[in-house]
């Protein structure tokens, strides 16, 4: 019988795998720029979610994830605000993944020793 830590570790691997699939789809398929951005944001959120299930995450990895998420957030916001006014409602579709990512990064920071 698996322990809880082993089961949680495999949950993390599962979410990291889904993140990789989402990133490959974003890079491999031709789609509008907005859909690429949404798919990459989702992939990043799933990656961070997968890392929260890992028992030991170093502070360096947490800082790398925080930096990447801030860059993605800035690029998404700039793209939405500069492309066209009709894309401003798409900003709200990014708000939920960003809030989710922020909560997860905060949770991950508490677990980093």
């Amino acid at each position: 019988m698996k322990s809880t830590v082993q089961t949680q570790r495999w949950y993390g691997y599962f979410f990291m795998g889904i993140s990789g699939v989402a990133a490959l789809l974003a890079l491999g398929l031709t789609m509008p720029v907005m859909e690429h951005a949404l798919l990459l944001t989702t992939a990043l959120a799933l990656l961070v979610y997968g890392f929260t299930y890992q028992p030991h995450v170093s502070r360096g990895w947490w800082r790398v994830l925080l930096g990447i998420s801030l860059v993605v957030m800035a690029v998404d916001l700039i793209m939405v605000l500069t492309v066209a006014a009709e894309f401003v409602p798409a900003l709200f579709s990014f708000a939920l993944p960003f809030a989710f990512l922020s909560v997860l990064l905060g949770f991950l920071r508490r677990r980093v020793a």
Side-chain angles (χ1 to χ4, degrees), residues 41-100:
T41 303
T42 303
L44 181 63
L46 287 170
L47 180 67
V48 172
Y49 190 64
F51 271 115
T52 61
Y53 277 108
Q54 300 309 310
H56 301 290
V57 178
S58 69
R59 185 173 298 277
W61 275 109
W62 183 82
R63 286 183 178 161
V64 167
L65 289 172
L66 180 63
I68 291 171
S69 64
L70 289 174
V71 168
V72 169
M73 181 179 71
V75 168
D76 285 345
L77 287 174
I78 290 168
M79 184 177 62
V80 166
L81 295 175
T82 59
V83 169
E86 65 263 9
F87 286 137
V88 173
L91 176 65
F92 297 112
S93 70
F94 290 123
L96 183 59
F98 286 145
F100 181 66

Side-chain angles (χ1 to χ4, degrees), residues 24-33 35-36:
L24 288 174
L25 286 174
L27 297 174
L29 298 177
T30 55
M31 59 181 76
V33 176
E35 291 179 16
H36 275 286

